[in-house]
Amino acid sequence: MQRDVASFAFAPAVKVRLISAGFLTAKDIRDLRPTELSKEAGISQQEALEVLQEVRRGPAEQGAAESRLTALELLEREQALGTVITFCSALDQALGGGVPVGKTTEICGAPGVGKTQLCIQLAVDAQIPGCFGGLGGQAVYIDTEGSFLVERAVDMATAAVQHCTLITKDTEQREALQSFTVETVLSQLFLFRCHDYVELLAQTHLLPDFLSQHPKVRLVVIDSIAFPFRHSFEDLSLRTRLLNGLAQQLIQIASQHSVAVVLTNQMTTRIGQNQSMLVPALGESWGHAATQRLILHWEGKHRFASLYKSPSQREATVSYQITPHGFRDVQLPDPSVIPADPSLTPGLNSRKRPRVEEGDPSDV
Amino acid sequence: MDWDQVELNPKVVHAVKRANVKTFREVLSLSGPDLQRLTKLSHADVHHLQKTVAAAVQTDPAVTALQLYRGECPFLEQHQKLSLGCPVLDSLLRGGIPLLGIVEIAGESSAGKTQICMQLCLSVQYPRKYGGLEAGAVYICTEDTFPTKRLQQLSGLQHKLRPEVPADVVKSITFCDNIYIEHAGDVDSLNSCISKRVPILLSRGLVRLVVVDSIAALFRCEFEAKDALLRAKHLLAFGATLHSLSHRFKTPIVCVNQVADAVGDSDLVQSNFGLLDKKVLPTLGITWSNQLLIRLMVSRTRFSLQEWLPGLAAQPWHLGSVLRTMEVVFAPHLPQSFCYYTVSIDGVRGVKEEPAS
């Protein structure tokens, strides 16, 4: 196999020594003995042993990420992973079905706008059985602020179970409903509590093992990632480095274990020339960390969610509301109430949009 | 950091010590390749080191929400709540104040914030089955002197406010002895109070409630408008200290905040909280709001109770009272809602019926 030495996961120092000693492909190394390799390349016996073990492993044993895939295979894999719905159909549509599994999504917003509500809703929705359009998985909730109150999760779980009970049509769904009750939803929601950034870093190191032991987990929520990082950092470059490392680890966890990672961020004020704006906290470089960014905000008395950054979806703003049942669409007025029959009064069809609107982009 | 409490190969511990990596925090803050470079250990060893240290830092096991709901989780107590001393107000908050986190009460002057705080200081001393936490309270005053006469009046009339508690239980509690009053005139003395004196009281189990009345006074006058960044830094540190106190000792923290007029052109500021119809907004900005679990706003209405509910005013404790509102602005488990209340001689009581007009 003509694989480059540089593409293996060795320590940089070892790689440099191997390449400068003239070993450029895997074939060059494979047939040597450890003592020969260590003498030729100037690395220790232990390192030589590790290098040979890695090189001699067949392609089937190496991680799936290292084998070659065509773009079509990648697309099929992504689509097979699925999404976690939010129960707000407008937002689901804007997101392309829901929060995507295998990627990281960031939710920013001012206090009280609904970030924690959306997170708890997603933790419940990840468990909706497959025959109802969900993933039938488990959820991990890492709470750094202490805002996860179990009674709210009970409210949302009860509403979700009720909703599924009402739309049950066939026997498969009825059977799935047996194992989709409020108790099972609560029992499959794993909660971790981190009080500062050291505990959060520790939890992220322990997460891969936990996910390997619980392969049914499809959602990991960190609420919020901003809180432990916004105080006690005299050295902001350390904070940036830690956040970047954390983001990398989370992206890796998302793709290796097929989970959707959701992070919550706070807002902070940025003073512009003559006005102040609310921007997501944690700095400019954090903006690049998550794959998708959703910003929740108020406009007057209404709440809106804007998809700000996404590699595959358009920017969109949708409105939502928080009800006692959880995160939902805003109820539009019932169309059956409109009295006029459109076929009788063609000119006065109030349900049709006028053909030329002010500021219609197609006119420009 | 105690390297003996983690199970590691002595070779690894030696390499780490030689690399001058002293604390668990440093081990977790350095990336894998950095640690490899500093300690000259192999990739597998460093990976194992970080995981072992992580397991030593995060000792609490994973908990399911079901266990939390059933109260099987001692380190995350969510069933118990601190009652406000009135069933109407408690039902607005679905049981009372949660034990973990900071609750803010914001409002204009003479809306009743101090009265509510004093009532909380009394209700925390009741036994658990009456909504208390069987301990006292520490009250940190930053504005006026503490109204001791009013506290004595309130504690003498507790049997009237809480008729559901047996009289002998009420008599057995010496309310005024268990309330510790601190004064803090500036930010530094406030910080030293909550980082030195309050933890001592909490660790001895003497108090299970901390009230700060008010935080706005100090932070607004000590920092001018141009020191916004410095103020934000202090607020964040202050909030972090309060949070850690709350979680270490499972103690609710109540902070009183002032309000300021909402300046007309800043719809941005108003729309931050969905408080479009309010003429006043809590002070200290979004930095402080981010630290709160629950925000309550209280205000006086123009009406007295007799005008709105003539039938109810016949009861003696409501006589001559101005009607006030308590509103939930945000809370993780509560919708935006409000209720009316009055302040009478024996304390704060919620009003149950909706006014007719």
Side-chain angles (χ1 to χ4, degrees):
Chain A
M1 197 178 63
Q2 297 293 353
R3 201 175 139 187
D4 280 340
V5 162
S7 70
F8 281 97
F10 303 138
V14 171
K15 256 192 229 178
V16 163
R17 295 222 178 107
L18 286 174
I19 293 178
S20 60
F23 298 105
L24 294 173
T25 64
K27 194 157 156 258
D28 298 336
I29 301 181
R30 200 143 25 110
D31 300 323
L32 291 176
R33 288 212 307 271
T35 39
E36 289 170 353
L37 182 60
S38 80
K39 214 176 353 158
E40 287 278 345
I43 55 181
S44 73
Q45 283 268 34
Q46 169 127 9
E47 282 167 349
L49 203 63
E50 281 180 5
V51 164
L52 284 167
Q53 275 175 351
E54 182 69 32
V55 166
R56 281 177 189 157
R57 271 201 281 169
E61 290 164 0
Q62 282 161 4
E66 296 170 20
S67 59
R68 294 193 194 109
L69 282 179
T70 64
L72 181 63
E73 285 170 10
L74 207 53
L75 178 65
E76 285 169 356
R77 256 199 218 188
E78 260 187 35
Q79 286 177 340
L81 284 175
T83 58
V84 184
I85 63 167
T86 63
F87 248 105
C88 168
S89 55
L91 185 57
D92 284 337
Q93 222 171 18
L95 289 172
V99 171
V101 169
K103 303 209 162 61
T104 51
T105 306
E106 184 186 353
I107 304 176
C108 315
V113 77
K115 306 183 293 292
T116 304
Q117 304 298 308
L118 180 52
C119 290
I120 302 181
Q121 184 71 62
L122 288 170
V124 168
D125 293 348
Q127 305 185 41
I128 294 179
C131 50
F132 288 104
L135 294 176
Q138 300 175 334
V140 165
Y141 198 104
I142 302 179
D143 187 7
T144 63
E145 294 182 324
S147 51
F148 180 87
L149 290 180
V150 74
E151 47 212 275
R152 190 59 178 142
V154 170
D155 289 345
M156 294 201 186
T158 317
V161 168
Q162 244 172 17
H163 178 91
C164 288
T165 318
L166 287 175
I167 65 171
T168 304
K169 284 193 287 273
D170 52 36
T171 42
E172 190 198 350
Q173 291 182 334
R174 237 167 277 139
E175 266 181 46
L177 214 52
Q178 303 281 350
S179 58
F180 185 60
T181 64
V182 174
E183 292 224 337
T184 55
V185 169
L186 292 180
S187 70
Q188 297 190 91
L189 211 176
F190 299 99
L191 191 62
F192 292 95
R193 182 82 175 81
C194 297
H195 299 96
D196 55 33
Y197 78 91
V198 180
E199 288 188 20
L200 182 59
L201 290 173
Q203 193 58 61
T204 320
H205 275 107
L206 297 173
L207 206 50
D209 282 345
F210 184 84
L211 292 176
S212 305
Q213 287 162 2
H214 298 86
K216 282 184 71 181
V217 173
R218 290 276 87 81
L219 174 75
V220 173
V221 175
I222 301 187
D223 179 19
S224 66
I225 203 163
F227 188 73
F229 282 100
R230 291 195 72 201
H231 62 88
S232 71
F233 270 101
E234 288 301 334
D235 180 9
L236 280 184
S237 62
L238 171 65
R239 184 179 89 167
T240 311
R241 184 162 58 73
L242 290 178
L243 281 172
N244 284 340
L246 202 58
Q248 291 291 71
Q249 278 181 302
L250 291 171
I251 292 176
Q252 208 174 21
I253 289 174
S255 60
Q256 269 180 3
H257 293 96
S258 298
V259 290
V261 174
V262 174
L263 312 169
T264 335
N265 195 3
Q266 295 171 345
M267 300 295 262
T268 183
T269 331
R270 177 161 69 194
I271 318 258
Q273 286 112 335
N274 40 11
Q275 44 146 346
S276 62
M277 301 177 10
L278 277 191
V279 296
L282 296 180
E284 293 280 344
S285 60
W286 175 252
H288 304 288
T291 315
Q292 274 188 331
R293 192 175 238 188
L294 202 59
I295 298 192
L296 307 181
H297 55 101
W298 295 97
E299 254 167 65
K301 281 210 140 274
H302 302 290
R303 304 176 202 239
F304 288 90
S306 295
L307 184 61
Y308 221 66
K309 169 190 165 195
S310 168
S312 52
Q313 304 297 123
R314 281 174 64 174
E315 283 186 15
T317 301
V318 301
S319 80
Y320 68 91
Q321 61 170 345
I322 312 281
T323 67
H325 300 302
F327 197 87
R328 295 286 188 274
D329 283 295
V330 168
Q331 296 293 351
L332 295 167
D334 194 349
S336 64
V337 172
I338 297 177
D341 186 0
S343 59
L344 297 177
T345 52
L348 294 168
N349 190 346
S350 58
R351 291 180 66 184
K352 270 219 165 109
R353 237 178 42 182
R355 301 206 52 210
V356 176
E357 276 187 303
E358 215 179 321
D360 190 346
S362 61
D363 285 343
V364 178
Chain B
M1 287 293 130
D2 194 4
W3 290 106
D4 296 332
Q5 65 180 131
V6 286
E7 287 178 18
L8 281 174
N9 196 332
K11 157 188 104 162
V12 170
V13 177
H14 184 64
V16 166
K17 284 188 181 160
R18 202 168 31 146
N20 213 13
V21 174
K22 293 196 203 73
T23 60
F24 287 165
R25 174 150 56 101
E26 283 174 42
V27 170
L28 293 173
S29 301
L30 290 165
S31 66
D34 270 340
L35 263 182
Q36 274 184 280
R37 192 172 38 87
L38 282 175
T39 59
K40 309 210 187 342
L41 293 167
S42 69
H43 174 76
D45 275 339
V46 162
H47 190 58
H48 181 70
L49 166 69
Q50 285 190 317
K51 281 215 292 211
T52 318
V53 168
V57 168
Q58 261 300 71
T59 47
D60 292 332
V63 156
T64 66
L66 188 63
Q67 288 172 307
L68 191 57
Y69 187 53
R70 288 188 179 150
E72 291 165 8
C73 208
F75 58 89
L76 271 185
E77 175 62 74
Q78 284 195 1
H79 262 287
Q80 183 80 23
K81 292 214 168 75
L82 173 59
S83 159
L84 265 78
C86 163
V88 177
L89 294 176
D90 281 345
S91 74
L92 177 72
L93 298 181
R94 267 176 101 167
I97 293 183
L99 295 193
L100 303 170
I102 305 180
V103 174
E104 179 188 90
I105 305 180
E108 54 216 1
S109 57
S110 73
K113 310 185 290 287
T114 306
Q115 302 297 315
I116 298 174
C117 291
M118 285 200 285
Q119 184 145 317
L120 277 169
C121 291
L122 296 171
S123 102
V124 72
Q125 303 184 39
Y126 284 89
R128 274 169 204 265
K129 61 185 223 192
Y130 301 114
L133 298 173
E134 292 165 4
V138 67
Y139 198 107
I140 307 177
C141 278
T142 64
E143 289 181 354
D144 307 316
T145 52
F146 185 76
T148 18
K149 282 220 183 90
R150 175 61 174 152
L151 180 66
Q152 282 167 345
Q153 186 184 50
L154 285 174
S155 57
L157 291 170
Q158 276 292 289
H159 58 281
K160 279 224 178 104
L161 182 72
R162 309 286 299 265
E164 78 279 6
V165 183
D168 53 334
V169 174
V170 178
K171 268 206 184 59
S172 66
I173 308 176
T174 52
F175 292 105
C176 294
D177 287 346
N178 297 324
I179 300 182
Y180 298 82
I181 300 168
E182 299 273 340
H183 284 273
D186 53 32
V187 173
D188 286 332
S189 58
L190 177 64
N191 273 326
S192 85
C193 177
I194 60 166
S195 48
K196 297 199 187 79
R197 292 206 287 284
V198 171
I200 296 178
L201 290 169
L202 286 166
S203 60
R204 288 197 194 150
L206 296 169
V207 301
R208 283 291 297 276
L209 171 69
V210 178
V211 177
V212 184
D213 182 4
S214 64
I215 47 153
L218 301 179
F219 285 96
R220 285 176 84 196
C221 34
E222 278 198 32
F223 297 98
E224 297 170 5
K226 61 179 170 59
D227 294 328
L229 268 176
L230 190 59
R231 187 180 88 167
K233 207 169 85 133
H234 278 262
L235 272 175
L236 284 169
F238 180 65
T241 319
L242 287 179
H243 264 277
S244 79
L245 276 182
S246 175
H247 286 99
R248 259 169 71 196
F249 300 106
K250 298 194 194 20
T251 299
I253 314 254
V254 175
C255 289
V256 171
N257 197 2
Q258 296 165 353
V259 291
D261 288 321
V263 179
D265 59 350
S266 62
D267 335 74
L268 177 74
V269 180
Q270 275 172 333
S271 63
N272 291 347
F273 312 112
L275 298 170
L276 196 60
D277 50 357
K278 289 247 180 300
K279 305 211 177 47
V280 290
L281 289 176
T283 61
L284 299 179
I286 201 167
T287 314
W288 177 246
S289 311
N290 277 329
Q291 320 252 29
L292 303 170
L293 182 69
I294 299 180
R295 168 170 267 165
L296 302 171
M297 270 184 75
V298 292
S299 64
R300 288 168 78 99
T301 66
R302 297 177 289 125
F303 309 104
S304 75
L305 194 56
Q306 284 103 307
E307 290 174 13
W308 282 62
L309 290 172
L312 201 60
Q315 282 145 23
W317 56 76
H318 282 307
L319 271 175
S321 304
V322 171
L323 202 61
R324 302 160 203 250
T325 57
M326 176 186 284
E327 180 176 346
V328 175
V329 176
F330 61 75
H333 60 313
L334 304 171
Q336 283 186 323
S337 49
F338 72 98
C339 80
Y340 294 100
Y341 70 95
T342 58
V343 177
S344 44
I345 191 167
D346 53 357
V348 174
R349 284 169 198 272
V351 173
K352 217 191 294 186
E353 277 92 279
E354 292 268 318
S357 50

